[in-house]
Amino acid sequence: MTSTTRLTVAQALVRFLAVQYTERDGVRQRLIGATWGIFGHGNVAGIGQALLEHAEEMPYLQGRNEQAMVHAAVGYARQSGRLSTHAVTTSIGPGATNLVTGAALATINHLPVLLLPGDIFATRPADPVLQQLEVPYAGDVSVNDCLRPVSRYFDRITRPEALIPSALNAMRVLTDPVETGAVTLALPQDVQAEAYDWPQEFFAERVWTVRRPGADPTELAEAVGIIRSAKRPLVIAGGGVHHSRAEEALAEFAEATGIPVASTQAGKGSLRHDHPQDVGGVGHTGTATADELARTADLVIGVGTRYTDFTTASGTLFGNPEVRFLNLNIAPFDGHKLAGQPLVADARSGLQELTDALRLHAYRVADPYATEYTEDKERWEQRVDACYEVDEPDTRPTQPQVLGALDEIADASDILINAAGSLPGDLHKLWRTRSHDQYHLEYGYSCMGYEIPAAIGVKMAAPDRPVWALVGDGTYLMMPTEIVTAVQEGIAIKVLIIQNHGYASIGGLSESVGGERFGTAYRFQAEDGSYTGAPLPVDLAANAASLGMRVLRAKTVRDLREALAEARAADTPTCVYVETQTADTVSGAPPAQAWWDVPVAETATRPSAVKARELYERHVSTRRRHL
Ligand SMILES: Cc1ncc(C[n+]2csc(CCOP(=O)(O)OP(=O)(O)O)c2C)c(N)n1
Ligand SMILES: [Mg+2]
C-alpha cells in the first residue's frame, strides 16, 4: 500500500514545487526558486498559510504590485537561462487580473513563470464572493479566464486530487523549450484550504531535463545545400541563441564560414560587439551595416528568431529578389516563417551540426564580401563614437551621451535592462555589448514598467554583478513601486532615470505619422490649448528617494560620470537621475535605417497627416511578401 501524507492543497503544492529540478548540460537547479505573493482573500488562508508553514523549503518574496511580481520572476528566469524561475501568488479578482500583462510578456518572450491566482469558491457557498465576476450565461467563468490566452498552460483546480496531473503538466510546460511561457494554476480559495491524503511519491524529487534536440537529417542536408549556394548570407541571431546558450557555437559557425551576424533586440550580445563578424542590431532599430547586408542578402539564416516587424522592417527589409530564408528554430511555428526552409533543432545543436557539415565542404564566403562588411562595421563604429563624444562636459547630456557615459564605466559584468521608450532604439544601434548576457532588452512585449522589477529578479540570479534598470520618465511613473521591494530586501539594483518630460519615442513617432505629438508630452497647456507649455513641476528624483532609494542627481555630463561611477560601486539600491536635452529638439542618435509600419490616416484635413500619408504609401509599396 502506498503511504500518504495529509496536507491541504496549498501545502501540497508548495511542497511539490520545492522539489522540482531542471537539468541541462549536466547542471541541476531548482525550477521554482521562490514564490512572490501579495495576499488578500483568495490566497491568504490557503497558499499564504502554506508558505508560512513551509517557509524553509520555499522562500517567500513580498511584492507591491502583481504585474511587477511577474516581471521580477521573468527577469530572474531570463538571467537563469530559463532553467529556474519563480512562482507568483495573488488574491482573487483584481490581484489576479493584474497578472495578465505580466503573463502576456512572459509568454511572448518564451520565458517561464508559474502563476497561482486565487479563484472563486469551487463549491459556490458564497455566491457571489467579494470581487467575483458574475456571468449570467456561464457559471464556470471567473476573471481568471482572462489568463487563458496569455498562458501556455491553464488549469483550475476544482478538486484536490486534480492537482496531481495538473502540477505535473505545469512543470512539463515550464521546462519545455518550445512551449514555455506563463503557466497558470487557478486555485479556488476553498479548495486551497481543503485537506487530502496525498501519495508520498508526489513529493519525491523530480528532475525535468531540458532537451536539446538535434536536426532532422533531411532538413540538415537541405540547409547545408542552401548555405553552400549562398554568396551573400547573413545570420540574424534572435533570443533563441541566448535561451539555448548557443553563443559559442554561433561564434564557431561564423568563424568557420565567414558569415556576418546581425541580431534582434532579444539576440543582441550573441557575439560580443568586438567580434569582427558582429554587425550589430538589424531592422527598424538596426545599424546601417546590418540593414544594408539584410537588403542585399541572398540568404538570411534566422537562428532562434520570430521575425517580428521590427526585424523585417515590416516586410520591407529583405530586398534582394533572390533572397531565401533558412530558419534554425526549436519551434516549427517559427521555423516555417517567411516561407523559409525550416531546420527544427535546438540552436546550439543545430549550429554545431551545420558547422561540422560546412567544414567538410570547406564552405566560406568570398573575400570581397568579408571586406565589405568589415569596412562597413568600422564606419558604424565611428558613428557610435561621434554620438558618444562630448565637447562640453558642463552641459546637459543627450541620451546617446548618457549611454556613452555608461559605456565608459561598464565592463563585461554589468547588465542593462530596458523595455520601452526611445532607449530600445538607441541601445540597439549604439550599445557595445561586452558579454553575452549584458543586454537584457524585453522587446517581445516592450512593456513600460518592466525594468525596475525585472532588475530585482536579475540581481537575485546574478547577485555579484552590477544590474542597471534604464528607465524613461514615462516608464518610471508607470511602475516605480518595486523600489520599495528592493529596499526591503537590500537588493542593490541601480536605476538610471532619464527625464525628458514625456514620451520622446512616441512623440517622435506621432510627428512622423501626422499625429503632431498629440498627448505625448508631460507639459502644461500653452495659450493655444496644446500641451507644449512648461514641463510639469514633478521631481522624480525626490520620488525615488521617498521610496527609500539613495539618489544621485546629475545636471551635466561631468556630474553624470561621477554619479554613475558612485552608483556602480554602491551596495545599496541607488538611483541616478539625469535630465537630457529633450529629444524633440536634440536627438543625437542616428535615425532609423529601416521603416516600421504604423498606418497613417487615409483621409485628413490637417496638412501634417496628408503629407505623412504620401510618405506612408511610398513605404508600403516597397513591402514584399516572401513566398
Ligand atoms: C505599458 C505600456 N503602455 C504603453 C506603451 C506605449 N509606449 C511605448 S514607449 C512609450 C513612452 C515611453 O516614455 P518614456 O519612458 O519617458 O521614454 P521616452 O520615450 O521619453 O524615451 C509609450 C507610451 C508601452 N510600450 N507599454
Ligand atoms: Mg521620457
Side-chain angles (χ1 to χ4, degrees):
M1 217 187 84
T2 47
S3 61
T4 57
T5 308
R6 191 161 177 80
L7 295 170
T8 68
V9 167
Q11 291 159 357
L13 177 58
V14 169
R15 274 196 52 187
F16 169 85
L17 293 177
V19 291
Q20 306 303 309
Y21 294 85
T22 55
E23 191 170 292
R24 191 177 68 178
D25 307 326
V27 180
R28 183 175 295 197
Q29 52 188 299
R30 251 177 83 156
L31 172 55
I32 308 293
T35 298
W36 291 89
I38 294 177
F39 299 115
H41 94 92
N43 69 340
V44 65
I47 295 277
Q49 192 281 333
L51 285 168
L52 175 67
E53 191 150 311
H54 297 285
E56 282 193 5
E57 296 139 86
M58 177 59 75
Y60 162 69
L61 300 163
Q62 186 178 13
R64 269 75 204 167
N65 171 299
E66 291 84 1
Q67 178 187 326
M69 294 195 291
V70 187
H71 294 335
V74 163
Y76 174 84
R78 172 158 162 180
Q79 188 61 34
S80 306
R82 310 197 297 183
L83 300 172
S84 185
T85 185
H86 291 154
V88 178
T89 173
T90 75
S91 58
I92 83 163
T97 48
N98 264 0
L99 292 173
V100 173
T101 299
L105 184 152
T107 293
I108 288 170
N109 287 286
H110 293 291
L111 290 164
V113 60
L114 178 62
L115 307 180
L116 306 171
D119 210 328
I120 56 172
F121 287 83
T123 50
R124 316 278 170 82
D127 199 13
V129 61
L130 173 70
Q131 298 169 325
Q132 177 171 342
L133 171 78
E134 293 186 275
V135 182
Y137 62 84
D140 63 347
V141 169
S142 86
V143 292
N144 284 344
D145 288 280
C146 292
L147 287 157
R148 284 180 191 269
V150 290
S151 297
R152 289 289 184 178
Y153 182 79
F154 178 97
D155 202 357
R156 182 176 283 123
I157 311 299
T158 52
R159 289 189 56 84
E161 59 270 45
L163 178 68
I164 295 175
S166 193
L168 292 170
N169 269 314
M171 300 303 107
R172 170 183 63 77
V173 174
L174 286 172
T175 57
D176 184 312
V178 178
E179 290 296 311
T180 196
V183 165
T184 302
L185 299 183
L187 300 164
Q189 62 170 313
D190 48 350
V191 180
Q192 282 179 44
E194 211 175 319
Y196 183 74
D197 296 313
W198 305 91
Q200 199 50 45
E201 292 87 338
F202 187 52
F203 306 114
E205 282 190 11
R206 225 168 272 266
V207 180
W208 302 83
T209 302
V210 179
R211 65 183 74 89
R212 288 192 178 280
D216 169 81
T218 311
E219 282 189 355
L220 183 63
E222 280 290 331
V224 170
I226 290 172
I227 295 177
R228 285 182 65 203
S229 64
K231 302 268 183 299
R232 298 183 63 86
L234 171 69
V235 167
I236 294 185
V241 174
H242 292 313
H243 294 331
S244 154
R245 293 285 192 262
E247 297 94 348
E248 300 306 327
L250 178 61
E252 270 189 44
F253 173 82
E255 285 156 23
T257 59
I259 301 176
V261 176
S263 49
T264 68
Q265 288 282 16
K268 193 169 154 85
S270 292
L271 296 187
R272 267 182 59 112
H273 79 94
D274 52 2
H275 190 290
Q277 285 163 263
D278 176 52
V279 293
V282 70
H284 177 62
T285 52
T287 67
T289 319
D291 283 357
E292 193 48 32
L293 289 170
R295 283 192 184 93
T296 54
D298 61 354
L299 175 64
V300 174
I301 307 172
V303 184
T305 176
R306 300 186 296 125
Y307 288 112
T308 72
D309 61 348
F310 262 67
T311 300
T312 67
S314 301
T316 61
L317 188 59
F318 307 111
N320 184 332
E322 307 295 321
V323 68
R324 294 184 71 181
F325 296 87
L326 167 64
N327 304 326
L328 167 53
N329 207 298
I330 197 162
F333 179 77
D334 293 314
H336 283 273
K337 284 185 177 166
L338 302 177
Q341 166 66 43
L343 180 60
V344 177
D346 165 67
R348 185 200 283 184
S349 307
L351 283 166
Q352 284 166 345
E353 288 175 284
L354 280 176
T355 307
D356 291 347
L358 290 165
R359 276 207 179 108
L360 287 180
H361 296 289
Y363 171 83
R364 215 181 151 72
V365 300
D367 287 347
Y369 183 53
T371 309
E372 177 190 321
Y373 70 70
T374 306
E375 288 175 2
D376 276 0
K377 176 176 162 71
E378 185 46 40
R379 267 194 290 279
W380 187 261
E381 288 301 318
Q382 288 163 8
R383 282 184 80 172
V384 177
D385 285 338
C387 287
Y388 284 179
E389 207 171 273
V390 176
D391 291 333
E392 295 170 50
D394 293 313
T395 55
R396 268 189 204 163
T398 62
Q399 185 160 286
Q401 287 169 342
V402 173
L403 300 182
L406 197 54
D407 177 82
E408 281 168 23
I409 60 158
D411 66 24
S413 66
D414 292 66
I415 301 172
L416 274 56
I417 299 160
N418 180 246
S422 58
L423 276 165
D426 288 4
L427 285 163
H428 201 206
K429 287 188 202 107
L430 303 176
W431 187 257
R432 292 173 166 149
T433 312
R434 296 160 168 80
S435 60
H436 297 318
D437 61 359
Q438 169 159 86
Y439 188 85
H440 183 131
L441 218 129
E442 186 285 293
Y443 217 58
Y445 210 41
S446 185
C447 183
M448 288 167 78
Y450 171 77
E451 295 87 345
I452 294 172
I456 292 172
V458 169
K459 184 75 179 167
M460 291 179 74
D464 300 328
R465 297 176 60 178
V467 176
W468 300 87
L470 273 53
V471 295
D473 54 315
T475 288
Y476 179 84
L477 283 169
M478 186 90 56
M479 198 175 279
T481 47
E482 299 320 297
I483 287 176
V484 178
T485 304
V487 169
Q488 182 178 31
E489 298 295 329
I491 298 173
I493 58 166
K494 301 162 203 321
V495 175
L496 172 56
I497 303 178
I498 298 182
Q499 169 66 277
N500 58 16
H501 308 290
Y503 303 163
S505 53
I506 306 299
L509 176 64
S510 167
E511 193 163 302
S512 74
V513 296
E516 302 176 38
R517 295 187 172 260
F518 183 61
T520 59
Y522 290 162
R523 289 175 182 275
F524 284 113
Q525 274 181 303
E527 295 212 333
D528 64 357
S530 68
Y531 289 86
T532 53
L536 306 183
V538 172
D539 187 344
L540 300 184
N543 183 276
S546 78
L547 298 178
M549 263 204 155
R550 182 161 161 240
V551 178
L552 307 166
R553 291 175 189 257
K555 285 206 169 64
T556 64
V557 177
R558 199 186 299 279
D559 295 347
L560 178 67
R561 288 175 177 150
E562 273 172 31
L564 289 174
E566 198 176 328
R568 191 169 186 277
D571 56 8
T572 54
T574 305
C575 171
V576 174
Y577 172 87
V578 66
E579 184 168 343
T580 51
Q581 297 183 31
T582 45
D584 51 342
T585 51
V586 183
S587 154
Q593 308 291 313
W595 187 57
W596 184 40
D597 186 349
V598 177
V600 176
E602 202 170 352
T603 177
T605 52
R606 297 176 79 90
S608 58
V610 174
K611 211 168 135 224
R613 178 71 194 190
E614 281 166 24
L615 186 62
Y616 178 75
E617 283 171 13
R618 278 210 296 282
H619 280 298
V620 167
S621 69
T622 65
R623 193 197 320 268
R624 288 191 55 198
R625 204 175 280 285
H626 301 285
L627 290 170

